[in-house]
Amino acid sequence: MLAQTQLGGSMIRVSSVFAAGFLAAVMSVVAAAPARADDPAFLALSAGYYDINDNFDAAEARIEYRHDEKFWIFKPFAGVMATSDAAVHGYAGVLVDIYFGRRWVLTPSFAPGLYHDGDGKDLGGAVQFRSQLELSYRFNDRSRLGLSVNHISNASIYDSNPGTESVAITYAIPLGN
């Protein structure tokens, strides 16, 4: 359970403060990182372990389309995740590619979406938000092999907000040029 602090009658989640700090750090790194205009769109395929911090663990598979167009520093993407417990999460959001040299790419992303728990973990409601951090190795053909960690929760818009975390291996296949 996340720690909470009482401030002026309203609850402020420590995770929100962490997320804001993380976003500020990412933005400062992105501003200094060189742009990589040569990266195409990607079809990303992932396999992983769902609900690593709780007792509703399951196998997870994801497929995503990652657009090549940039809007300022952000690239749109959309995907669907399914678990071996029949949970399904469809989402669309934005990502940022942060390059460390030619080979390593750090990709934070954020995406709201709709979730159905199937026979798996009840996350409190249909509307869920996924934040993810992925570190990938970029091959000569621009394909990428990476490891990601993500968190899905409803940001307390429902009475119950158990959230879940996943870890996955992703292979991103370049599309087009």
Side-chain angles (χ1 to χ4, degrees):
M1 180 161 284
L2 295 172
Q4 295 180 342
T5 306
Q6 182 73 25
L7 180 64
S10 65
M11 298 302 279
I12 297 177
R13 297 185 138 258
V14 172
S15 62
S16 297
V17 174
F18 173 77
F22 175 75
L23 182 60
V26 166
M27 297 301 279
S28 65
V29 170
V30 168
R36 298 284 191 238
D38 63 338
D39 268 343
F42 289 95
L43 178 66
L45 307 171
S46 302
Y49 182 50
Y50 175 82
D51 204 38
I52 60 176
N53 290 333
D54 206 351
N55 60 350
F56 289 94
D57 55 335
E60 174 182 306
R62 290 192 313 255
I63 185 168
E64 294 177 352
Y65 174 76
R66 299 177 180 182
H67 207 288
D68 60 338
E69 290 292 320
K70 270 187 165 180
F71 302 95
W72 187 44
I73 60 169
F74 301 103
K75 293 181 182 179
F77 78 104
V80 64
M81 177 274 295
T83 73
S84 58
D85 288 336
V88 178
H89 184 220
Y91 50 88
V94 294
L95 62 83
V96 176
D97 285 330
I98 304 167
Y99 295 86
F100 295 95
R102 200 172 99 91
R103 298 289 181 195
W104 293 99
V105 184
L106 182 67
T107 306
S109 63
F110 176 77
L114 296 176
Y115 177 81
H116 173 69
D117 59 12
D119 293 327
K121 188 170 188 175
D122 180 0
L123 295 181
V127 176
Q128 299 292 321
F129 303 92
R130 188 192 82 158
S131 53
Q132 177 171 285
L133 194 57
E134 179 179 292
L135 180 62
S136 300
Y137 181 82
R138 185 174 181 244
F139 296 98
N140 286 339
D141 67 356
R142 295 179 290 197
S143 64
R144 299 177 184 180
L145 181 63
L147 181 67
S148 65
V149 177
N150 73 50
H151 173 75
I152 300 172
S153 77
N154 62 47
S156 296
I157 61 174
Y158 302 109
D159 291 336
S160 174
N161 185 22
T164 187
E165 288 76 31
S166 297
V167 62
I169 295 174
T170 300
Y171 184 65
I173 304 161
L175 303 174
N177 302 339

Coordinates of all heavy atoms in Angstrom, one line a residue, residues 5-12:
T5 N 0.0 11.3 2.8 CA 0.2 12.4 3.7 C -1.0 13.3 3.8 O -1.5 13.6 2.7 CB 1.5 13.2 3.2 OG1 2.6 12.3 3.1 CG2 1.8 14.3 4.2
Q6 N -1.4 13.7 5.0 CA -2.5 14.6 5.1 C -2.0 16.0 5.0 O -1.0 16.4 5.7 CB -3.2 14.4 6.5 CG -4.4 15.3 6.7 CD -5.6 14.8 5.9 OE1 -5.7 13.7 5.6 NE2 -6.5 15.7 5.6
L7 N -2.6 16.8 4.1 CA -2.1 18.2 3.9 C -3.3 19.1 3.6 O -3.9 18.9 2.5 CB -1.1 18.3 2.7 CG -0.5 19.6 2.4 CD1 0.3 20.2 3.6 CD2 0.3 19.6 1.2
G8 N -3.7 20.0 4.5 CA -4.7 20.9 4.3 C -6.1 20.2 4.0 O -6.8 20.7 3.2
G9 N -6.4 19.1 4.5 CA -7.6 18.4 4.3 C -7.7 17.6 3.1 O -8.7 16.9 2.9
S10 N -6.7 17.6 2.2 CA -6.7 16.7 1.0 C -5.6 15.7 1.1 O -4.5 16.0 1.6 CB -6.7 17.6 -0.2 OG -5.4 18.2 -0.3
M11 N -5.8 14.6 0.5 CA -4.8 13.5 0.4 C -3.9 13.7 -0.7 O -4.3 14.0 -1.9 CB -5.5 12.2 0.3 CG -6.4 11.9 1.5 SD -5.6 11.9 3.1 CE -4.9 10.3 3.1
I12 N -2.6 13.7 -0.5 CA -1.6 13.7 -1.5 C -0.8 12.4 -1.5 O -0.3 12.1 -0.5 CB -0.6 14.9 -1.3 CG1 -1.4 16.2 -1.4 CG2 0.5 14.9 -2.4 CD1 -0.5 17.4 -1.1

